[in-house]
Amino acid sequence: QSALTQPPSVSGSPGQSVTISCTGTRSDIGSSNRVSWYHQPPGTAPKLMLYEVANRPSGVPARFSGSRSGNTASLTISGLQAEDEGDYYCSSYTESSTSLWVFGGGTTLTVL
Amino acid sequence: EMQLVESGGGLVQPGGSLRLSCAASGFSFSSYWMHWVRQAPGKGLVWVSRIKGDGSDTRYADSVKGRFTISRDNAKNTLYLHMNSLRAEDTAVYFCVRDGDAYNFDFWGQGTLVTVSS
């Protein structure tokens, strides 16, 4: 069981928007802006999409946006494209004694 | 071009040992904290360990503490993960990952598969 909770799957048609939630606790998501999101297409390595909740690394389209409210972070993808398919993972730095970083269980995005 | 290339994975019996390597290129390796993150087959990502750029500070997830050791050779631009007392639950793809300096993982290798089975 992952430390952060994500929905197992979401889907949308090309051009639509989808939002993926990521729920943690006061010790991780709720304690700071140290939340990041990763995209992992099938059979490939993860790629950083957002860091510090809403900042996009160079090369990530503005269609990807993030937010945080309390113990829940969210990733929104607008203008869905076929290349957006794959698994999305949230991650948070944590003050837990068992691990410095925790991840969500992953959400599979299907573009219909 | 930035690259992280893992090697050393394979099949090992329970209780055995293995050393993973990660060859880095295209960036100033010694300036970055580095991590190992693993992913069991069909499962999610799990953070394993972290090491400071000069090797002076290391941290581990509780699940591997006392069994795994992270190290680096900055002269060779190489990160290592020494794994002892391996268990079936250590079976996973192990990714070498660069620290993004903002509590994130900004560049990932392609991973190397470790299978612990008799």
Side-chain angles (χ1 to χ4, degrees):
Chain A
Q1 186 171 354
S2 300
L4 305 179
T5 301
Q6 299 179 232
S9 63
V10 296
S11 62
S13 299
Q16 289 187 331
S17 295
V18 295
T19 296
I20 301 172
S21 62
C22 173
T23 301
T25 68
R26 288 182 300 175
S27 295
D28 38 67
I29 292 177
S31 67
S32 73
N33 285 334
R34 298 164 180 171
V35 178
S36 51
W37 289 89
Y38 303 86
H39 176 211
Q40 185 178 33
T44 70
K47 174 188 173 184
L48 177 65
M49 304 303 288
L50 295 175
Y51 65 95
E52 291 181 325
V53 176
N55 293 318
R56 285 177 288 106
S58 174
V60 174
R63 304 187 291 106
F64 291 83
S65 61
S67 63
R68 179 179 73 95
S69 177
N71 297 338
T72 298
S74 298
L75 166 69
T76 297
I77 309 171
S78 58
L80 273 177
Q81 299 181 6
E83 67 206 47
D84 298 334
E85 281 201 335
D87 294 331
Y88 288 82
Y89 293 92
C90 59
S91 178
S92 175
Y93 183 77
T94 175
E95 296 168 353
S96 162
S97 61
T98 60
S99 180
L100 287 185
W101 275 269
V102 287
F103 286 91
T107 298
T108 299
L109 168 63
T110 302
V111 180
L112 302 171
Chain B
E1 179 191 5
M2 197 159 51
Q3 279 196 314
L4 293 170
V5 180
E6 301 94 335
S7 61
L11 175 63
V12 60
Q13 292 189 337
S17 299
L18 211 55
R19 187 186 78 165
L20 306 183
S21 300
C22 170
S25 60
F27 65 98
S28 180
F29 179 69
S30 62
S31 299
Y32 287 85
W33 293 74
M34 296 294 295
H35 303 259
W36 288 98
V37 175
R38 69 184 181 184
Q39 185 172 34
K43 302 296 185 180
L45 302 168
V46 176
W47 176 80
V48 173
S49 182
R50 177 190 78 175
I51 186 169
K52 192 176 179 180
D54 63 3
S56 63
D57 185 356
T58 59
R59 292 288 299 272
Y60 301 90
D62 275 9
S63 58
V64 306
K65 197 175 296 182
R67 300 188 299 123
F68 290 11
T69 302
I70 190 171
S71 64
R72 64 194 298 160
D73 184 337
N74 287 340
K76 296 181 178 180
N77 288 342
T78 302
L79 177 72
Y80 301 102
L81 185 67
H82 304 256
M83 304 184 294
N84 296 322
S85 303
L86 282 162
R87 307 166 180 167
E89 54 264 37
D90 295 319
T91 294
V93 173
Y94 285 73
F95 294 101
C96 168
V97 190
R98 192 179 80 167
D99 188 283
D101 203 29
Y103 297 93
N104 61 71
F105 310 103
D106 75 344
F107 188 73
W108 300 61
Q110 288 303 307
T112 186
L113 175 63
V114 173
T115 302
V116 184
S117 175
S118 55

